[in-house]
Each structure stands twice: as C-alpha cells, then as structure tokens.
Amino acid sequence: MLQPDLSIVPQDCGVCPIRHRAVCARCDADELQILEEIKYYRSYEAGQTVIWAGDRMDFVGSVVSGIATLTQTMEDGRTQMVGLLLPSDFVGRPGRDGAAYNVMATSDLVMCCFRKKPFEKLMETTPHIAQRLLQMTLDELDAAREWMLVLGRKTAREKIASLMVIILRRDATLNLAQPRDRISFDLPLTREAMADYLGLTLETVSRQISALKRDKVIHLEGKRHVMVPDVGRLLEEAGDDSDGGMLS
Amino acid sequence: MLQPDLSIVPQDCGVCPIRHRAVCARCDADELQILEEIKYYRSYEAGQTVIWAGDRMDFVGSVVSGIATLTQTMEDGRTQMVGLLLPSDFVGRPGRDGAAYNVMATSDLVMCCFRKKPFEKLMETTPHIAQRLLQMTLDELDAAREWMLVLGRKTAREKIASLMVIILRRDATLNLAQPRDRISFDLPLTREAMADYLGLTLETVSRQISALKRDKVIHLEGKRHVMVPDVGRLLEEAGDDSDGGMLS
DNA sequence: CGGATTTTTGAACGTACTCAACGACCGTGG
DNA sequence: CCACGGTCGTTGAGTACGTTCAAAAATCCG
C-alpha cells in the first residue's frame, strides 16, 4: 500500500496522452525507440510521497496523469509549495543526484520514468531532448517568476483569484476548448495545499473563498467544483491587467 | 546620457572576466570565434532601464560587470523583483520576441550582447551553448524556488537576513575566497530595491536592518557596507537550517 | 550652502495570523 | 441503521506583524 505500484503494463509512446507536450515532444520515431528501452511506469496513490528532499534520485520522468506538488519545508514546519506538476510536466534534474524538493502525489498519479544515467547519456547525443527540456525549463522559470509577484505583492483575495486563473489557464491549454463564459473547473488541491501554494494559512484561504462566493465572483458546487460566471471579473480580482489572451 | 554608450572597445573573449562562468563557458576556441563575430558590448549607467517589459528585444546577452534587476509591475504600481543579475548571468530568452520583465541597471553595467537571430541559429548547431544555457536556467529555477519560500513563508527579519545570505553566497562563489569569520560585503541595492525584492515596504526594510544592527547580528559602515561578525548567527536569523556548505 | 534623494524613526491602522470551536462529509464497525 | 472517529472545511474572536502616513535625519552633489 505504501509502495508504489510497479505492476503497470508498459505503454507504447505512440498512444501516450502526453506524447506531444512532454520532454519527448520533439523526438522522432528512432529517438522514441531508445526512450522506450529505458522508460518504465510508476503509479502512486493520492497522498503518497514520491520522493523526499535530499533523497537520492535515480530517475527523472514525466507526469502522465494526475497531479503532483513540489514543496520546501523549514525546520519549524512552515512549508511553501514551489511547483504544481500537471500531466506532461518534468520531474528531476539531470546532472544532480539528490532531490531538491519534496515531491508528493496530490491525486492518484502515473509517472513515466527514465533511469537517470541512461537518460543523461541520451541527452548528450539527442539534441531534441535537451532542446525541449530547455524550453520547458524556461517556461517553468517564467511561471515561478509570475508566482513571485503573487507571493510578494498580492493580497489574500488576489492570491486566491490568481490561483483560480492559473488553474483555468492550465485547464484550457491542456484540455479541450471551453465555452466562452460560464467556465467551471475543479480545485485540485485541499485548502491546506492551496495555503502552502499561496503563502497563507488555510483559514485565510477558506475565508477568502467564502468571500468570493458571497460577492458572486465564483459559485461553488460542493467544496471543490468552482463555476465562474464572469471570467473577466475573476481576472480583475486577480489583479491581472492582461484580460485578453486565451480567454477572450 | 539616456542612450547606452556604444563606444566600447570590443574585448577579446580570452581575457573576459566571465569567460568560464557565462553561457559561453563550455565553448572551445572555434566556437568562441563564431561568438566573437556576433557579439558587441553595451554599457548602461546606474538607474538606466535596459529594456521594458513587452518591448521587442533583438538581443540576448550576459552581464559582464555591474548589477541588473528583473522586475514585474502591476497596474497600480506594486512591483516585485523576480531576478537579480550578477556578472555572468544571462539576459533574454532565445525563441521569444518580447521582453517578459523590466530590466534595470542597478549599478553601472556592462553587457556582452549577441544579436538574437544569429545566436538562436548558433544554439542549434552548437550543443555546448544550449547545454550551458540549460544548466544556468536550471540554477535560476532553483534560485527562484528558494525565493518563493522567502516570499511566502519568512518573516520580515528572516527575509532581510536571507537577502544578506544570498549576497554573501554569490560574493563567495564569484569573488575570491573570504576569511572564515568577519565577512563583509556591500549591499548592491537601495532600501527600496530590497523591499521590491523581499515583498516588503522600504520602511520595514529599514526597520529590520536597524533591528539586526541593534542586536549585533550585523554591523554597518555607512548605509551600504555590512560586516557580519558571526555568519552562523546570520544563517540562523535567515531560518536556513543548512548552516554548513561553503561558509564553514 | 541649498535642494534633491535616500534613509530612519514614530504613531495609528488594517490585513492576515493564531487559537478555538463547530460543521460537513465519509468510511468503518457495532 | 446510527454511532463513531477521522479528515477536511468553515467561522469567530483577539492578536500581531507589517503597512500607511507623516516627519525628521542623513547623505549626496550641484
């Protein structure tokens, strides 16, 4: 129960749902074949720890399905989420032995793993992989920097709205197109996880979600499902000036 | 006065002070020669804006000397620093036309610029450059994530101490080795810039620096020069558990 | 010196935190 | 079936930390 389930039937890269978004996105058929040889699948249950910060890490890999988080913890227990990993996101750093952060499965999670040594060697001979990894890392750096603005300068209400906008955006790019207005989505995190993401307490998160509901910015169905009657309004609440983009 | 000074005598890469740390670190003599052809130097005065977020950017480059900052601004003026660029750090993103952030020269600044198009083409044919850029981007991502912990979870006092630890560390790796204790350094930022970095107001920055001085954690000479009688103590104040590392 | 800029310090305020209790939901077992 | 415990979420009251507004002090440079 506490061990990852290793009895997953290996899947063909050709039918992989993240084939064209993950680190292997640019690989051609030959390159995929080499990857097939060093890859294996692992699945984790919701709540399980994938790896602890500081532990030796003998693999890197991609999230195939489910959601994982990267967190950092101080001695006294204060924790800050530093990454939210959705399908196609990459985990691990080639050229480093230990994990820098805690990686936790927030939902049931399936990962496509590559043994680290062979992967590193492959990276040297296969520019397509390194190129794609650079692109993905630059995107993550941008996301981290946007998050620094949220953490450093936004109010609690703006932080909650910003989180919802981020989830909305990632849903929009990942899934199919959504109807223009009346967009809805599921919060993939508990109140506590949201608090760790936003640098707040879970009580403040709860209060601000209630406030947004009271002010008709959002509408809740159950604890997790959010309906947004007016996306523009939510963007205003988030303090994002760029109201255009993919949601117009 | 407001235009960058372009009348800099081109320098030989062989004598470049950041030769072995910048994006060109892994290049061999042949590769350097190609770089020499597309590079040029630019210098900026303290306080000048190198580029505004959203503006077209026709170059990428490295900081040769001086200090630059990356900042993000909200409509109402709240600003958050998202990057502190020291010599050898890379500016710009290959494959993107517009600047994502404001880049400002905090001190007098010299940059080694590469025209973007030729640089991008060079990256495809020269694995050494892409490899080094990936490495540097991963390092920046780590730094950004460490900063997320500072912004999200640390107190004002811890934030100030953390900033000093970061400057200390970067000084230590950049410059020569320092004496074990009694380390000293210059704050490269105004109180306001520190506030933008730390997600605080400049008044709070000033108060906390005064408090650290009153408590003998630091000793000030003038406004900018800081002496640290006990580095371990400063690390404690920063909330960093890892007291070992390069400073022991 | 005079004027602008940066920094320090003070007093009052407000947002988010802390501590605490309560409520909703869910699976388990009597 | 309902009582029970556990997890997750909500709400309340009081507090603390950092902000805001204001003024004075220090520094820089003409």
Side-chain angles (χ1 to χ4, degrees):
Chain A
M1 205 68 152
L2 283 171
Q3 292 306 312
D5 179 4
L6 300 174
S7 62
I8 303 290
V9 180
Q11 223 183 359
D12 178 13
C13 287
V15 301
C16 178
I18 57 167
R19 163 73 180 90
H20 55 297
R21 310 198 79 247
V23 72
C24 51
R26 293 194 185 182
C27 292
D28 56 34
D30 294 350
E31 292 162 345
L32 276 188
Q33 206 151 18
I34 305 176
L35 275 176
E36 297 255 24
E37 282 165 27
I38 64 169
K39 92 178 189 195
Y40 55 98
Y41 290 90
R42 273 195 187 173
S43 62
Y44 302 85
E45 295 179 7
Q48 266 189 311
T49 296
V50 175
I51 196 153
W52 292 103
D55 282 2
R56 211 184 136 63
M57 208 172 162
D58 56 345
F59 67 93
V60 296
S62 303
V63 174
V64 176
S65 66
I67 291 173
T69 62
L70 299 183
T71 60
Q72 242 177 334
T73 307
M74 295 172 68
E75 302 152 75
D76 60 9
R78 284 177 281 176
T79 83
Q80 175 65 50
M81 197 181 299
V82 296
L84 183 61
L85 303 173
L86 301 192
S88 82
D89 282 340
F90 189 77
V91 178
R93 171 166 177 171
R96 171 155 56 192
D97 281 343
Y101 314 101
N102 301 319
V103 183
M104 329 264 285
T106 288
S107 67
D108 287 346
L109 182 72
V110 177
M111 295 210 31
C112 172
C113 304
F114 308 103
R115 284 178 290 125
K116 192 151 68 75
K117 287 284 174 219
F119 186 84
E120 284 167 359
K121 223 161 67 182
L122 196 56
M123 264 191 33
E124 284 168 21
T125 58
T126 312
H128 283 167
I129 292 177
Q131 282 167 13
R132 175 66 184 145
L133 188 57
L134 175 58
Q135 205 174 43
M136 292 174 73
T137 305
L138 286 164
D139 285 341
E140 273 190 274
L141 185 57
D142 279 345
R145 284 173 167 165
E146 185 181 341
W147 209 249
M148 289 172 71
L149 176 65
V150 173
L151 289 172
R153 290 304 186 192
K154 293 197 178 179
T155 64
R157 172 183 265 243
E158 288 170 335
K159 284 180 175 180
I160 298 290
S162 295
L163 175 59
M164 292 183 176
V165 169
I166 294 214
I167 295 169
L168 220 54
R169 286 221 178 95
R170 299 205 62 167
D171 262 29
T173 58
L174 211 64
N175 300 349
L176 10 133
Q178 294 257 0
R180 300 282 165 265
D181 277 328
R182 293 229 147 238
I183 285 177
S184 75
F185 59 92
D186 281 309
L187 293 170
L189 302 171
T190 65
R191 300 290 187 261
E192 186 179 20
M194 287 187 250
D196 286 344
Y197 203 159
L198 297 166
L200 298 170
T201 60
L202 61 91
E203 295 96 326
T204 299
V205 169
S206 182
R207 270 186 256 271
Q208 295 298 334
I209 289 180
S210 297
L212 288 175
K213 186 173 66 177
R214 181 170 4 94
D215 298 344
K216 313 279 190 195
V217 179
I218 59 173
H219 189 267
L220 284 186
E221 286 174 10
K223 305 296 182 193
R224 295 293 192 88
H225 195 75
V226 178
M227 293 201 45
V228 183
D230 179 356
V231 176
R233 175 80 193 284
L234 184 65
L235 287 166
E236 275 175 40
E237 293 285 355
D240 288 14
D241 40 354
S242 57
D243 57 337
M246 67 195 55
L247 295 163
S248 61
Chain B
M1 205 72 153
L2 284 170
Q3 292 305 312
D5 180 4
L6 301 173
S7 62
I8 304 293
V9 180
Q11 224 182 358
D12 179 12
C13 287
V15 300
C16 178
I18 57 168
R19 162 75 181 89
H20 54 297
R21 309 199 79 246
V23 71
C24 52
R26 293 194 184 179
C27 292
D28 55 33
D30 293 350
E31 293 163 343
L32 275 189
Q33 205 150 18
I34 305 177
L35 275 176
E36 297 256 25
E37 284 166 25
I38 64 169
K39 95 180 186 194
Y40 56 97
Y41 290 90
R42 273 197 189 173
S43 62
Y44 303 85
E45 294 179 8
Q48 264 189 311
T49 297
V50 176
I51 196 154
W52 292 102
D55 281 3
R56 210 183 137 63
M57 208 172 161
D58 56 345
F59 67 92
V60 297
S62 303
V63 174
V64 177
S65 68
I67 291 173
T69 62
L70 300 183
T71 59
Q72 242 176 337
T73 307
M74 295 171 68
E75 302 153 77
D76 60 8
R78 283 178 280 177
T79 83
Q80 176 64 51
M81 197 181 298
V82 296
L84 184 60
L85 302 174
L86 301 192
S88 82
D89 282 339
F90 190 78
V91 179
R93 172 166 176 173
R96 173 154 57 193
D97 280 343
Y101 313 103
N102 301 320
V103 182
M104 329 262 285
T106 288
S107 67
D108 286 348
L109 182 73
V110 177
M111 297 212 28
C112 172
C113 303
F114 308 104
R115 283 179 291 125
K116 193 151 68 75
K117 287 284 172 217
F119 186 84
E120 284 167 1
K121 223 160 70 184
L122 196 56
M123 265 190 35
E124 283 168 22
T125 57
T126 312
H128 282 168
I129 293 177
Q131 282 166 13
R132 177 64 184 146
L133 187 56
L134 175 58
Q135 205 175 45
M136 293 174 73
T137 306
L138 286 164
D139 285 341
E140 271 189 275
L141 185 57
D142 279 345
R145 284 171 167 164
E146 184 181 341
W147 208 250
M148 288 172 71
L149 177 66
V150 173
L151 289 172
R153 292 304 187 193
K154 294 198 177 177
T155 65
R157 172 182 266 242
E158 288 170 335
K159 285 179 175 181
I160 298 290
S162 296
L163 175 60
M164 291 182 176
V165 169
I166 294 214
I167 295 169
L168 220 53
R169 286 220 178 97
R170 300 204 60 166
D171 262 27
T173 58
L174 212 63
N175 300 350
L176 11 130
Q178 294 257 357
R180 301 279 166 266
D181 276 328
R182 293 229 148 238
I183 286 179
S184 74
F185 58 93
D186 280 309
L187 291 172
L189 303 171
T190 65
R191 301 290 187 262
E192 185 178 21
M194 288 187 248
D196 286 343
Y197 203 160
L198 298 166
L200 298 169
T201 58
L202 62 92
E203 294 95 327
T204 299
V205 169
S206 181
R207 269 186 256 272
Q208 295 299 334
I209 289 179
S210 296
L212 288 174
K213 185 174 66 177
R214 183 172 354 99
D215 299 343
K216 314 274 190 200
V217 179
I218 60 174
H219 190 266
L220 285 185
E221 287 174 7
K223 304 296 181 190
R224 295 293 191 86
H225 195 76
V226 178
M227 293 201 47
V228 182
D230 179 356
V231 176
R233 175 80 192 284
L234 185 64
L235 287 165
E236 276 175 39
E237 293 284 357
D240 288 14
D241 39 354
S242 57
D243 56 337
M246 66 196 56
L247 294 163
S248 63

